Amino acid sequence: MYSNAAILRAIGESYFELENNSRPSKAIPKIIANLGQATKVDRIYIFKNHLNDLGEPCMTYTYEWCAPGVTPQLDFDYLQELPWSLFSDIETDLRTNRVINALVKDTKNGEFYEAMVAQGILSYLFIPIFSGSYFWGYIGFDNCSKEELFTNDQVSSLHALAATLGVKILNDLQHRKLLRSRKSFYDLINNMNDVVFRLDLEGTIKYLNPVWEKLSGYTVEESVGKQTFDFYESEYWVEIQQRLDNLINGITLEDMLELKLIHKNGQRIWVKVYAKLLKKENGKIQGITGTVFNIHQQKEMMLELQESQRSQQRLNELLQAVNEAHLSFFVENDFQSPLEVFLDQILQITGSKFGFIGEVFFDAGQPYLVTHTLTNIAWDEDSKEFFKKNYRGGIEFRNLDTLFGYTLRTGEVVLANDVATDPRASGMLPKGHPPLKRFLGIPVKKAGKFIGMMGFANKETDYTEEDVSFLQPLISGYANLISAIRINRARKKAEELQRISDEKYKLVSENTGDIIALHDLQMRFVYVSPSIKKVLGASPDDIIGKKPSEVFGVKENQPELSMQTEKFVVPHFHLLTGEEIYLEILMSPLMNESGEVYSYLATSRDVTQREKMLIELKETLAREQELNQMKTRFISMTSHEFRTPLATVQSSVEIMEMFLENEEISNKVKDKFSLHFSRISLQVERLSKVIADLLLIGKSSQNKIIVSKQPIAIQSFLGNLVDNYPVPPERTLKINKMQQEIELTTDPIWLSHIVSNLIDNAFKYSKGPKDPQVILSNDEKHVFLTIKDFGIGIPKSEQKYIFDSFFRAKNVSTIKGTGLGLNIVKDFADRIGIDIQFKSKENEGSAFTLLIPYE
Ligand code: ADP
C-alpha cells in the first residue's frame, strides 16, 4: 500500500512549490522528488508533448526523478521524440484526461508491454497534464518492485495536483508571450523618433517637430499656439500644472510623466513625457522643452500583464481552495467547510451576489441537484428554517423548468443576462425569493460524465464566455473532488455491506460444530471459528498467523492444502489429548473482482469416527480376501492330493473284479464281492466328480480358466451332445430343434460343460413319469436353449441362492449333490457371455434357459 499520509504531505509541499516558484520548470523537479520519496516508487518522470518535423504528435522524456540506485534515463535517445502513434490506446485515455493506474501484466498494447517489461516495471500510474485544453504531457510513476495500484483517493488527489500544475504552465506560457511582445515593443520604440516640443511658461505650445503629427493626428500648425493641456486627458491637468510649477520654481530640474494623450480621432494614447527648463545663456528662463514617446502598446501590455498576474493569483487562491477541500475531505472526510470558502471566493471573483455548487444525480433518468453548499438567501421564517434544517445534508432541487434546470436537462452552460425575458426560465421563483437578474449555470463533468453543477447569480455586468473559461481549472478541480466523494461513498457502502456479511458469517461460524477458517495465500490462518477449540483443542488466538501443519502436525503424504478444491480428509493431532482427529476439509478459493485468488475459505468437519470405521472395514475386507485365497489354495491342493489315491482305489477295484471271474470262488461270494465293488466304484466316481468340480472352482478363482471361442453350428452341436448323453435307465431325452441351423461363436468346451450340468440336474431332480426336454429357439441376436424338467422344482424362497457355492435347497431330501454344479455353470456362462434365466415351481418342475449370443 502506498502511504496516504506521505502522499498527502508531498502533495501539500508540491502546492507550496508551485505557489513559490515563478517558473513551473523550477518547481517540477522538486515536486517529483517529493512525490518520489512519498510513494517510494522507482522512478517519476514527465513526458512533454510536441510535434515532430513531420507534424506528428510526439512526446519527449523531459523531467525525471530516480530512487537511489535506479539508473537515470534522461539522456536516452529513444525517449526523445517518441511518436504517440505507437501507444494510441494510452494516448486516447490520457488525451481525454483519464488517469491510467494499472499493472503491466494487464496491458494489451504489445509495444508498450515490451517497453515496460524491458525496464523491469511491474505497475505504473500515468496522470495527464492539461494546460488549458491542450494535452501538455503526463506524469508517470514506475514501480519495479511491486505490483501495486494507487487507491482512488490517492489518484484523485494526484490528478488535482496535475491540474494545478497545468494551470501554472498555462499562466507561465501567457506570461512569457507577453514578455516577448514587450521586448519587440522596446525594439520598436528605440527606432522611433521622439516628438520634440517647447512650451512657454504658461504652457502654450511654441514648437513641435513633425513626428507630432504621427502621434496625435493634429498638424503642427493646428497645434502650435494652443495650450498643451488641451491635448491630454483632463484627469492629468492638475498633475501637469504641478509638475510645470515645480520645474519653473527650480524644485525639480527635469521631470517625467506617463499620461494619456487624446488623439485627433478621440483615441486615448499612453505617452511618456520628459521635460526640463529651457534657459538662455544669460540664465533667464525661456520656457520648457522636452520629448514625448508613444508608450501606448507597452503600457497596455503592462496593464494586461498586471491584470493577468492578479487573475493568476486569484486563480491560484481558488485552486488552493479546491485542493484544500480535496485534502480535508481526504483526511477528515469533511468537504463542506472548505467548499463554503471556495464558493465565497468564486462569488467574489465573478462578482456574483449568490450561488450554489452541488452534485448531479439521476433518478429514473431524470437529473436532479443536491447542493454541497449554497449562499443563504433565506427571505422569511419558513425559508430560514428550511435552510437551517437541510443545509448540512444538502438541499435537493428537482424542478427542471428553471434556468439551472436547463443546465441539468441539457448539460450545457447557461449564460442568462436578462433573466426576466429568458425563455429558458419559464418556472416562477418562490414568493419572496430575491429577484434573479443574471444567471450563470455551469455543468461539471468528468470523463464526459455529468456529475455536478455550479450556479451563480446577479453579477453587476453581463456573464460572459470568459467567465466560464476562467473558471475552467476550478471546475475540473471540483469534478475531481466530486469523483473522490463518490468513490468514498461507494467504498463506505461496500464496507457496510462487508460488515453485515461479516456479522452474518460470524454468527454462522461461531454457532456450528464445523470449523470455518480463512487462510491467506500461504495457508496461514486469518480467521478460524471458535469450534476449533472443541474439535482440536486449539484456541483461535493461538493459531492465527500460523499454518495448519505448524500447529497440528503433518502426516506423511498429507495432501497439499492450497492445491485442493474438492473435499479431502486430513489427519490432525488433538493439541491436548494427542488423539488422531480426521478432518474432512472443503477448500474454496475466494477471488477479487479481477479473478485473482486472495484467500481460501476452509470448512472442516470432524469425521474421525467414520474414518476409523472405514479403516477397520478395509482391514476386515483384506483379511477376508486373504482367507478366501487360503481356502482356494487349500482346496486345489487337497483335490490334487485326493485324485491319485482315488485313481489307485478305482484301478484296484477293477483288478479285484477281474480276479473275481475266477471259477474257484463260489457264486454266493462272487455276488457279495460284486455288490461291494460296485458300491466302491460308485462312490469313487462321485468323489472324483466333486474333486473335478473343486479343481475347476479353484482354477476359476485364480483366473486360470482359458476361454477359446470358435464358430460352431449350434443345432448339430447340441444334437450330438444330446444323442451321446448317458440317459438314465427308463428315461428318454428329446431335443426340439429350430427351423434352420445357426452358426455362432462360442467356447464349445465350456458350453457343453454347462449344458451337461443342467441336463444332469434335470434328470437328478425329475420325479414322476414325464422326461426332461431340450428346446431350441432363436431371435435375431440369440439362440435360446431351454432344459426343462417336471421334477421337484425349487422352493420360491430359495431361488435367489441357487447359484451360490455349496447351496442346496431344502427339498432335495436324499438326492445326493454338493451344491457346486450351478455355481460353476453360472461362472462359466458369465465368462463366455451367456446369460442364464430360470423358472421353477416346487413340485411342478424347473426350466433353465441359456441366452447364447451369435457373436
Ligand atoms: P447339486 O449338486 O446339489 O445338484 P447344483 O449346484 O447343481 O448342486 O444345484 C444346487 C441346488 O439347486 C440343488 O441342490 C437343488 O436344490 C437346486 N436345483 C438345481 N437344479 C434343479 C432342478 N432341475 N430341479 C430342482 N432343483 C434344482
Side-chain angles (χ1 to χ4, degrees), residues 761 764-765 789 792-794 807-809 812 817-822 846:
N761 279 353
K764 196 158 73 174
Y765 297 108
D789 66 62
I792 63 168
I794 305 160
F807 175 78
R808 305 205 69 216
V812 295
T818 57
L820 289 176
L822 283 185
S846 313

